[in-house]
């Protein structure tokens, strides 16, 4: 999950009746832990203290089939993920990384549609699906995935 707290995005995890938010680096008012020579900041907050709390998934259309994906912005590629349908995985030479789970790395330029689905946990699990242009897709991906690493 992702939490928006004081206009900043954090990784978020449910912990008991609260939400634990964390991010790399040191922040005032947060518990600081050093893990593998890197500093992380943690704090427990209530739902009401968060501006947003959501999950986001990314999708592309490749060869007229929609796939969930991840991106490598440095390499300008997407990692297509496919589950359970062995015929499609075999037809397009996907690699199996777990039982029934397949992936394939392709150039982002080979993809024709760019979409994301956002599930808002503070608004009764309201789901928002959007199709966007490639530049906007990459911007949203960077903000919600790469910048939180």
């Amino acid at each position: 999950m992702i939490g928006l707290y004081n206009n900043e995005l954090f990784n978020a995890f449910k912990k008991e009746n609260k939400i634990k938010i964390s991010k790399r680096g040191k922040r005032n008012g947060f518990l600081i832990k050093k893990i593998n020579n890197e500093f992380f900041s943690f704090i427990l907050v209530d739902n009401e203290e968060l501006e947003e709390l959501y999950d986001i998934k990314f999708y592309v259309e490749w060869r007229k089939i929609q796939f969930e994906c991840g991106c490598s912005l440095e390499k300008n590629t997407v990692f297509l993920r496919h589950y359970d349908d062995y015929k499609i995985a075999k037809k397009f030479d996907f690699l199996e990384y777990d039982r029934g789970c397949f992936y394939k790395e392709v150039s982002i330029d080979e993809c024709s549609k760019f979409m994301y689905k956002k599930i808002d946990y503070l608004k009764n699990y309201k789901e928002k699906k959007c199709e966007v242009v490639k530049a906007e897709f990459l911007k949203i991906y960077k903000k919600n995935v790469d910048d939180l690493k």
Side-chain angles (χ1 to χ4, degrees):
M1 281 190 292
I2 298 169
L4 182 62
Y5 178 75
N6 290 338
N7 291 322
E8 189 174 357
L9 290 179
F10 291 86
N11 290 305
F13 312 91
K14 288 188 177 190
K15 185 167 181 158
E16 299 159 12
N17 293 344
K18 295 201 175 246
I19 304 295
K20 180 180 182 179
I21 58 173
S22 68
K23 200 167 199 179
R24 289 183 180 188
K26 296 180 180 181
R27 286 175 175 62
N28 289 334
F30 284 63
L31 173 65
I32 310 294
K33 287 188 180 180
K34 189 174 184 179
I35 303 170
N36 296 330
N37 294 324
E38 194 165 5
F39 289 100
F40 289 84
S41 300
F42 300 90
I43 193 171
L44 286 174
V45 297
D46 293 315
N47 281 358
E48 299 79 31
E49 295 178 77
L50 293 171
E51 298 159 52
E52 287 187 76
L53 181 64
Y54 61 90
D55 268 330
I56 190 165
K57 293 189 181 218
F58 296 90
Y59 301 88
V60 293
E61 188 173 281
W62 178 74
R63 298 195 180 173
K64 299 184 181 179
I65 302 172
Q66 183 176 307
F67 294 95
E68 184 180 336
C69 71
C71 296
S72 172
L73 300 178
E74 304 83 32
K75 294 175 17 179
N76 201 37
T77 61
V78 292
F79 297 93
L80 306 174
R81 293 187 204 108
H82 190 67
Y83 308 98
D84 297 326
D85 191 340
Y86 183 74
K87 290 178 187 175
I88 289 178
K90 187 175 180 180
K91 178 180 178 181
F92 294 115
D93 296 321
F94 277 59
L95 299 173
E96 188 169 20
Y97 66 90
D98 200 358
R99 188 174 180 177
C101 302
F102 306 92
Y103 80 97
K104 182 175 185 75
E105 184 176 8
V106 300
S107 169
I108 198 160
D109 296 328
E110 293 179 44
C111 301
S112 56
K113 290 185 181 176
F114 303 90
M115 300 147 281
Y116 68 91
K117 178 173 74 173
K118 185 174 178 180
I119 302 169
D120 191 330
Y121 294 113
L122 297 180
K123 295 181 181 169
N124 294 322
Y125 296 85
K126 185 178 177 187
E127 209 173 270
K128 175 183 172 185
K129 296 178 183 176
C130 294
E131 185 175 331
V132 294
V133 296
K134 181 170 73 170
E136 183 69 13
F137 177 85
L138 294 172
K139 179 180 168 186
I140 294 167
Y141 188 89
K142 182 180 183 325
K143 175 183 168 188
N144 287 278
V145 179
D146 277 11
D147 289 353
L148 292 177
K149 288 182 182 176

